[in-house]
Amino acid sequence: MTQFAGKTFWLVGASHGLGREVARQLDQSGARLVLSARSEDALDALAHELRRAKPVPVDVTDMDSVRKAARLAGPLDGVVYNAGAYEPMRTQDWDSSAVLGMSDVNFTGALRVLGQVVPGFVKAGRGDITLVGSLAGYRGLPASIGYGASKAALISLAETMRHDLKDSGVTVRMVNPGFIKTRLTDKNSFQMPQLMDPEDAAGHVVAAMQSRRLRTDFPRPFSYAIKAFNLLPDWLVYRGK
């Protein structure tokens, strides 16, 4: 038996890539899962593959859809927010629709989902919240309009919630992966250091969920390099720019 056995987790962003692999590993650990994403067919296929899972489609950009999904999810022990949108974009190529879309899925969508579960967790004095961010949220990077800013906001949200929920019985953690081979990173034309398979990345997420540590960054040493870059003074980072 594991600490996940018999517990119910709402996994938002479960249909493909990292989310799908996290669902598989949590299922193998005995968890009951509520699987959410926009793709109903993909959710149904995954739910049939797992032992204790029910599909609950959701559009995190739509408040009514989130409220309905939360009702259908029922009582929860934890939530994993893994919904994500990504379009590589430089400032010179600004596309407001794409930028707002990324922000709405990556950050505002998390606010909608958390608004449905956090009050219940606080009232019950227990609950588990895992937010999946990105190493791209640590410092502004080239061609990351929309994506980097939304992930930075998600990191700040997790840090604030961790302060506020101290001694509440509710655990909040942030998981920041590097590059994972998915439909999103397939859009990149540049070399991606330490590109991970979704299965390996999911192992890091599930391991992090077994700890109360606030932050888990991976893979090493790439995550160390990103965090070191974040510590550099602005005059050095933006020299000549």
Side-chain angles (χ1 to χ4, degrees):
M1 300 292 284
T2 72
Q3 68 184 72
F4 300 122
K7 294 185 178 180
T8 301
F9 290 86
W10 185 13
L11 178 50
V12 182
S15 58
H16 296 91
L18 176 63
R20 182 171 57 192
E21 295 303 323
V22 169
R24 286 170 173 163
Q25 293 187 26
L26 288 176
D27 180 73
Q28 292 169 3
S29 297
R32 294 189 295 262
L33 298 173
V34 179
L35 307 173
S36 287
R38 285 183 294 184
S39 176
E40 189 169 355
D41 290 343
L43 290 178
D44 287 341
L46 180 59
H48 279 99
E49 174 189 329
L50 305 180
R51 294 173 293 179
R52 292 169 292 273
K54 70 175 180 179
V56 177
V58 69
D59 179 354
V60 298
T61 69
D62 184 309
M63 192 68 244
D64 289 338
S65 176
V66 172
R67 289 193 187 101
K68 179 180 178 181
R71 288 196 301 270
L72 293 174
L76 300 170
D77 295 290
V79 61
V80 181
Y81 191 84
N82 178 62
Y86 170 67
E87 293 290 340
M89 187 186 308
R90 290 187 175 274
T91 305
Q92 301 94 312
D93 304 317
W94 195 291
D95 179 334
S96 290
S97 178
V99 170
L100 293 171
M102 283 185 274
S103 298
D104 209 8
V105 173
N106 298 342
F107 178 61
T108 313
L111 299 180
R112 294 187 183 96
V113 169
L114 292 172
Q116 299 302 302
V117 299
V118 170
F121 285 173
V122 171
K123 184 177 180 180
R126 62 179 182 84
D128 193 273
I129 299 167
T130 302
L131 303 178
V132 179
S134 170
L135 294 178
Y138 277 120
R139 185 154 200 157
L141 299 172
S144 191
I145 290 295
Y147 184 77
S150 60
K151 292 299 187 178
L154 197 65
I155 291 172
S156 177
L157 174 66
E159 292 169 346
T160 297
M161 292 176 65
R162 185 67 176 236
H163 280 301
D164 292 344
L165 295 175
K166 180 183 178 181
D167 300 325
S168 70
V170 181
T171 298
V172 179
R173 70 179 61 81
M174 190 80 219
V175 180
N176 295 308
F179 295 109
I180 304 171
K181 185 165 180 54
T182 66
R183 298 175 302 162
L184 300 184
T185 54
D186 284 345
K187 300 175 183 180
N188 289 334
S189 58
F190 56 85
Q191 184 176 0
M192 293 173 279
Q194 290 190 264
L195 181 65
M196 302 183 71
D197 290 330
E199 183 177 356
D200 292 336
H204 285 275
V205 175
V206 173
M209 291 175 64
Q210 298 176 62
S211 168
R212 291 198 72 255
R213 185 172 62 241
L214 167 63
R215 193 187 320 267
T216 298
D217 302 318
F218 65 90
R220 301 171 182 170
F222 181 56
S223 61
Y224 292 156
I226 289 291
K227 293 171 80 173
F229 179 61
N230 183 47
L231 296 174
L232 294 177
D234 289 343
W235 67 264
L236 182 59
V237 173
Y238 300 105
R239 182 172 53 184
K241 297 182 180 179

